[in-house]
Structure formats: C-alpha cells, structure tokens
C-alpha cells in the first residue's frame, strides 16, 4: 500500500463517518459530495480511473441535485401545512 | 422479542459472525496482490483483437455487451418510472415562485456566480462530449460523459435561471434523446447480428489503436449510451426540480371539487 492510498483510505473513513454522524440532511448532502470525491481519489490511487469518474459524476452531480430538490419540496410542504393550520385557527377564532 | 432474548441471540451470533469474518479476511490475498486471470485475459484480447485502449469500456461494450444492454434498459425503465411518478398531478398547479416566468432567482445569486456558471456550461458540454467520444481510448465513456454533458444545462440553474434550463432542454427533446440512445445501442447490436451473425458483435473496421475512430463500433455504442444518459439524467433532474420549484399544491381546491 502506498502512502497516497493510505491517505485516501483514511480520508474516506473520516468523510464517510462524517456523513453518517451529521443529522441535518442538507449538510449531509454536501458532505456526501466531499465523501464521493475522497472515494474517487481512493479509486484513482488504486488505478481505477473509470470507476473514479463514475463516482465523481454520481456523488457530486447526480445524487445531490435530486436530494436537494426533494429537500426543498419537503420543506415547502411543511411550511404550507403550517400556514394552512394557522389560517384555519384564524378562521375558527 | 424481549431485550434478554435479543442479547442471547447476539451472544451466539456475534462471536460466530466475528469468527467467520476473521477466517475469511485472513484468507484474502495481500493488499494489491489480486491473482485473477480475468484481467490478464481482457488486457490481452481487447487491445489485440478490438484495438481498444480503455479496457473498461472494451469490457462494457464488447465482452459484456449484453450486460450493458440490460443496464441500458434498467436506466431507461427507472427514468420512465420517475417521470410517471413525478408528473403534474390533479390538484397541483404550475406556478413559478415570484411570478416572473423568465427567471427563478436565488436569494444571493451574485453576478460573479452567474458569469462563472455560464463559463462552466460551455466547459461542461465540451468535457462531456470529449469523454463520450474518447470512451474506447481514455478512462470514461458513455455513462460518465453523459452525466457531465447533462450537468452543463443544469449549470444555468446555479445562475438562478431554472426556467432557462427548461427552454434549452425541453422535455420532448430529452425524452427523444433517452429513447434514441437506448434504441440506438440495441440497433447497433442488431447490426452485429446482420453483418457478423452474432448479436452485439463488432462489424466495423477496427482502425489503429489510439486513434479516435478505432475499436470498431465502440465509439458508436459510447455515443448511444451517452445520449441516453444525458437525456435520462436531465429528465430526472427536470422532474425533481419541477416538483421543487414550479409545481405546487393548489391547497386541495381542485382535488376537492373533482
């Protein structure tokens, strides 16, 4: 194992753990992108540039966009529900 | 199951699992010393007989070409599923936030960010096209290049112009790209059946290894996959972003009256 590979494995362990430990989905999404980058560096150091490229495009572009859009929709719905409840209370009161 | 029963189960299963894991890991070859012959065979045959220099692409489009056909249609089916699930439903309105139809502004999207995202758009499209057509030569191929290509128009989203993204890549065009890519790959395979009497077998001249037009029909396969992935990813993103930015519930008004 070369020093580059060792560093890459440690970086994967740290960023992967960070993704699991953070509880806010928004932060997790950004961390997931960084985690994907370290994973890509690991694949690259193990002489698998094809897999590294796939990892980069999926974890840095493909997945975050979908998760961010879903998060926004969920928050908006929560806000609308809150808004609706307040209107109902005002209507009955 | 009570806590006691669960702990008892773990007391038996935990050490057993650990023992099996330790035995299994101890029997692995040392780090970086994989002794598979498959890699050697691929290295020998794909360069000599197919003139491809990126062996991963050669593996996908030649040795495991039929698997790739299956993967193509997995992607196609999932994209179709997403589109079916997320299309505009009864009880939902298409109303861009802020009322301005031409633009969706992010709070804090600076002029610098907009300039960078426009520059990024051109670079991403160029890089995506490069990765796709050089699939058989350098790392990358239809899938990776396709996602990069799809990321280009989405760069305009960063500039706060989501509706401009939709103007550049209207949904019918994306659907056509997705379908043409998937069908194209299957049809190139049919070409193999007609001209080389085996489905998905190469039927084009092999060219000189390392040249852009080499490795038989792999560049064509790569372009077909690239088109499908570009269309598919943009379609998925458009559906999700539509849900997040444009489509909103009309508060059950229409749903209640229907």
């Amino acid at each position: 194992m070369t020093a580059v590979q060792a560093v890459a494995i440690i970086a994967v362990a740290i960023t992967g753990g960070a993704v699991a430990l953070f509880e806010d989905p928004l932060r997790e999404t950004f961390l997931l992108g960084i985690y994907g980058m370290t994973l890509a560096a690991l694949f690259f150091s193990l002489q698998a540039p094809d897999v590294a490229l796939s990892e980069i495009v999926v974890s840095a572009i493909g997945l975050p966009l979908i998760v961010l859009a879903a998060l926004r929709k969920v928050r908006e719905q929560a806000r609308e529900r809150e808004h609706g409840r307040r209107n109902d209370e005002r209507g009955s009161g | 199951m009570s806590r006691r029963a669960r702990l008892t189960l773990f007391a038996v299963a935990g050490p057993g699992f650990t023992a099996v894991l330790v035995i299994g890991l101890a029997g692995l070859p040392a780090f970086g010393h994989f002794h598979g012959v498959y890699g050697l065979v691929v290295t020998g045959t794909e360069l000599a007989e197919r003139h491809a220099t990126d062996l991963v692409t050669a593996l996908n489009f030649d040795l495991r070409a039929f698997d790739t056909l299956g993967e193509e249609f997995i992607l196609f089916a999932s994209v179709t599923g997403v589109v079916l699930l997320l299309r505009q439903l009864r009880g939902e309105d298409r109303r861009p936030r802020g009322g301005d139809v031409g633009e969706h502004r992010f709070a804090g999207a600076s002029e610098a960010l907009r300039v960078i995202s426009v520059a990024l758009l051109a670079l991403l499209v160029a890089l995506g096209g490069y990765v796709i057509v050089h699939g058989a030569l350098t790392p990358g191929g239809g899938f990776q290049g396709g996602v990069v290509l799809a990321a280009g128009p989405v760069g305009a989203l960063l500039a706060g112009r989501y509706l401009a993204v939709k103007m550049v890549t209207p949904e019918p065009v994306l659907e056509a790209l997705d379908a043409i890519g998937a069908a194209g790959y299957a049809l190139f395979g049919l070409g193999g059946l007609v001209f080389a009497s085996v489905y998905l077998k190469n039927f084009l001249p092999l060219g000189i290894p390392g040249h852009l037009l080499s490795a038989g029909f792999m560049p064509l396969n790569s372009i077909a996959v690239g088109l499908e992935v570009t269309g598919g990813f943009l379609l998925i993103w458009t559906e999700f972003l539509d849900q997040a930015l444009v489509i909103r519930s009309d508060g059950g008004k229409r749903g209640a009256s229907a």
Side-chain angles (χ1 to χ4, degrees):
Chain A
M1 195 190 304
T2 66
V4 177
Q5 288 167 351
V7 170
I9 288 180
I10 292 168
V12 166
I14 293 172
T15 50
V19 173
L21 285 177
F22 271 87
E23 286 188 0
D24 177 24
L26 191 62
R27 282 190 190 160
E28 270 182 326
T29 313
F30 283 101
L31 272 172
L32 189 73
I34 299 168
Y35 170 57
M37 287 297 162
T38 58
L39 212 52
L42 177 63
F43 291 148
F44 192 71
S45 73
L46 293 171
Q47 298 178 26
D50 278 273
V51 191
L53 266 177
S54 303
E55 180 61 43
I56 290 174
V57 295
V58 168
S59 68
I61 323 170
L63 194 58
L65 255 178
I66 294 174
V67 176
L68 288 178
L71 275 179
R72 179 173 167 135
K73 182 79 175 174
V74 168
R75 284 186 183 179
E76 191 176 90
Q77 279 179 342
R79 205 165 39 225
E80 268 173 15
R81 221 172 294 136
E82 184 73 17
H83 190 69
R85 206 183 304 141
R86 228 177 295 145
N87 275 1
D88 285 350
E89 279 166 14
R90 211 176 298 152
S92 63
Chain B
M1 205 187 281
S2 72
R3 184 179 161 79
R4 194 190 191 88
R6 261 185 286 161
L7 279 176
T8 318
L9 188 65
F10 178 75
V12 179
F17 177 70
T18 312
V20 172
L21 199 64
V22 167
I23 293 168
L25 288 178
L28 282 180
F31 187 86
H33 291 83
F34 176 65
H35 293 297
V37 287
Y38 190 63
L40 296 175
V41 172
V42 172
T43 314
T45 55
E46 290 303 308
L47 183 57
E49 311 219 341
R50 292 287 181 268
H51 293 192
T53 52
D54 180 24
L55 300 175
V56 178
T57 302
L59 205 68
N60 284 337
F61 293 150
D62 187 49
L63 272 180
R64 301 191 317 122
F66 200 68
D67 293 34
T68 307
L69 183 73
E71 283 161 14
E72 278 269 277
F73 282 95
I74 290 173
L75 179 66
F76 188 73
S78 0
V79 171
T80 313
V82 168
V83 173
L84 277 175
L85 279 174
L86 294 185
R87 68 191 163 173
Q88 192 180 0
L89 295 175
R90 193 164 55 195
E92 285 177 340
D93 267 347
R94 295 183 84 87
R95 261 185 293 137
R97 182 183 289 273
D100 187 355
V101 180
E103 198 156 350
H104 166 85
R105 267 183 189 281
F106 282 112
S110 65
E111 294 295 316
L113 180 65
R114 311 180 88 175
V115 171
I116 288 173
S117 63
V118 169
L120 211 60
L121 197 159
L123 288 176
L124 282 173
V125 170
L127 179 66
Y130 175 90
V131 172
I132 290 176
V133 296
H134 287 77
L137 302 175
T138 52
F143 175 75
Q144 294 93 334
V147 184
V148 175
L149 202 57
V154 175
L157 173 75
L158 282 180
R161 287 182 172 270
Y162 175 55
L163 295 166
V165 178
K166 292 190 58 138
M167 247 180 283
V168 179
T169 57
E171 266 167 58
V173 172
L174 298 180
E175 283 161 10
L177 276 183
D178 194 21
I180 290 170
Y185 187 85
L187 288 177
F188 288 139
L190 215 55
L193 193 62
V194 172
F195 298 112
S197 69
V198 178
Y199 188 62
L200 284 168
K201 189 177 178 187
N202 179 49
F203 58 93
L204 289 177
L206 293 173
I208 303 159
H211 282 213
L212 184 58
L213 292 178
S214 64
F217 72 166
M218 279 180 214
L220 291 180
N221 282 340
S222 189
I223 290 172
V225 172
L227 286 183
E228 195 207 339
V229 171
T230 307
F233 266 77
L234 269 175
L235 210 51
I236 293 179
W237 288 335
T238 311
E239 292 297 334
F240 268 88
L241 290 168
D242 265 2
Q243 282 287 340
L245 301 176
V246 183
I247 295 179
R248 56 200 69 243
S249 165
D250 67 357
K253 267 175 271 167
R254 208 180 309 164
S257 64

